[in-house]
Amino acid sequence: MAGSAGGNRGVIHSQLLAGQKALVTGANSGIGKATAIALGRAGADVVVNYVVGADEAEKVVTEIEAFGVRSYAHEADVSDEEQVVQMVSRMVDELGTIDIMVANAGLQRDAPVTEMTLAQWHKVIDVNLTGQFLCARAAAKEFLRRGVVPEVSRAAGKIICMSSVHQIIPWSGHVNYASSKGGVGMMMQTLAQELAPRKIRVNAVAPGAIRTPINKDAWDTPEAEADLLRLIPYSRVGDPEDIANAVVAVASDLLDYVVGTTLYVDGGMTLFPGFATGG
Ligand code: BGC
């Protein structure tokens, strides 16, 4: 069975996304990988984007194909305009169209502000924010060209931006990352407002602390995990499948009336847990 840790796999109705075509950026590891697999399990054909890690991407493709849907890996840097345009145009050529864009690719380059280089700032903004803009724009153009196909979905298309609890929680030592995710929140709302009249739904999913390579230091020793759990009222670190299931739900017509919303999937991290015993 596909997926890694977590007892919450496969709970989404099977075939919820039958006949839909999805693209997930950064889908060779972590949240993107789990999301690509969950979309395939729900019946969608899935393009697995990656920038480095071709072998991992091919393994994800194989897992997805086992569900009887189509999949292929596509190397592209989401911060490169031409590569993003080309990625979506190949998808239209090979799969016919795109119905679901999951703008997931993201990274961290952490440093205290006085030590943060301009290159670190640009890298994170370019991938996490500009990359999502380029992916959303390319998908929106195809959604508008095609319009609504009622047998496939009530919407002309769905854009799901992978945000973070740091869309609203300031984060010392990570000003580039927190700024990128704050930007993702406003970009998502603005695009949702602009595109909703054209039947395109734009939303964000905002993970808290999820067990992935990006934050390994925060959970891979018992001491680190205990420290992290102080920030999570629900007392467990999230699994990539927690986020993947949320993306499948938001992408599906079950949530057709959800437009311009950020769904926090964080075990309560955004509930100001420091105030649970005082304030
Ligand atoms: C970051 C992780 C962090 C989590 C909660 C995520 O967006 O990428 O490194 O553990 O937020 O702070």
Side-chain angles (χ1 to χ4, degrees), residues 118-135:
L118 185 58
Q120 287 174 316
W121 171 267
H122 277 311
K123 181 75 180 171
V124 171
I125 298 295
D126 285 355
V127 173
N128 295 12
L129 182 57
T130 308
Q132 292 207 14
F133 162 74
L134 291 172
C135 290

Side-chain angles (χ1 to χ4, degrees), residues 108 164-166 171 177 208-209 214-215 269:
Q108 292 181 210
S164 163
V165 290
H166 299 297
W171 201 14
Y177 185 84
I214 208 174
N215 61 357
M269 196 176 231

Side-chain angles (χ1 to χ4, degrees), residues 2 27-29 32-37 46 48 54-67 71 73:
N28 55 317
S29 83
K33 172 181 173 179
T35 298
I37 291 167
V46 186
V48 174
D55 290 353
E56 273 306 308
E58 288 303 337
K59 283 186 202 149
V60 176
V61 166
T62 305
E63 282 200 49
I64 293 170
E65 285 173 338
F67 300 120
S71 183

Side-chain angles (χ1 to χ4, degrees), residues 2-90:
S4 53
N8 52 357
R9 289 179 281 133
V11 296
I12 294 285
H13 309 261
S14 61
Q15 304 307 296
L16 200 53
L17 302 175
Q20 301 203 38
K21 322 287 178 193
L23 188 155
V24 183
T25 64
N28 55 317
S29 83
I31 288 171
K33 172 181 173 179
T35 298
I37 291 167
L39 291 166
R41 184 188 289 117
D45 295 334
V46 186
V47 177
V48 174
N49 160 260
Y50 68 98
V51 64
V52 283
D55 290 353
E56 273 306 308
E58 288 303 337
K59 283 186 202 149
V60 176
V61 166
T62 305
E63 282 200 49
I64 293 170
E65 285 173 338
F67 300 120
V69 296
R70 296 177 66 188
S71 183
Y72 65 83
H74 184 102
E75 180 187 339
D77 174 352
V78 296
S79 67
D80 182 304
E81 181 175 25
E82 192 47 47
Q83 291 184 37
V84 171
V85 169
Q86 208 273 322
M87 175 167 68
V88 173
S89 102
R90 175 182 171 199

Side-chain angles (χ1 to χ4, degrees), residues 79-251:
S79 67
D80 182 304
E81 181 175 25
E82 192 47 47
Q83 291 184 37
V84 171
V85 169
Q86 208 273 322
M87 175 167 68
V88 173
S89 102
R90 175 182 171 199
M91 183 170 175
V92 173
D93 285 348
E94 295 208 11
L95 299 180
T97 190
I98 174 170
D99 302 287
I100 300 162
M101 168 62 83
V102 185
N104 165 77
L107 45 75
Q108 292 181 210
R109 293 290 183 270
D110 309 328
V113 61
T114 47
E115 285 160 34
M116 187 174 286
T117 64
L118 185 58
Q120 287 174 316
W121 171 267
H122 277 311
K123 181 75 180 171
V124 171
I125 298 295
D126 285 355
V127 173
N128 295 12
L129 182 57
T130 308
Q132 292 207 14
F133 162 74
L134 291 172
C135 290
R137 187 182 66 175
K141 285 184 185 177
E142 170 59 13
F143 298 159
L144 293 175
R145 182 198 67 76
R146 173 183 27 77
V148 177
V149 180
E151 312 81 66
V152 174
S153 175
R154 295 179 74 178
K158 283 82 61 165
I159 295 167
I160 297 165
C161 299
M162 196 57 66
S163 187
S164 163
V165 290
H166 299 297
Q167 180 176 310
I168 54 167
I169 301 179
W171 201 14
S172 299
H174 307 77
V175 65
N176 46 4
Y177 185 84
S179 301
S180 74
K181 295 302 185 179
V184 163
M186 181 51 75
M187 181 188 73
M188 178 279 291
Q189 287 182 297
T190 300
L191 293 179
Q193 186 193 63
E194 185 169 336
L195 296 171
R198 319 288 298 273
K199 305 300 282 182
I200 296 170
R201 290 198 296 119
V202 188
N203 290 286
V205 169
I210 309 298
R211 235 177 264 281
T212 73
I214 208 174
N215 61 357
K216 197 162 182 292
D217 291 349
W219 50 261
D220 76 342
T221 64
E223 301 73 36
E225 181 161 354
D227 245 16
L228 182 57
L229 288 177
R230 288 190 296 110
L231 299 175
I232 308 173
Y234 203 52
S235 286
R236 75 169 170 88
V237 178
D239 297 310
E241 290 75 16
D242 288 310
I243 307 306
N245 286 340
V247 172
V248 171
V250 172

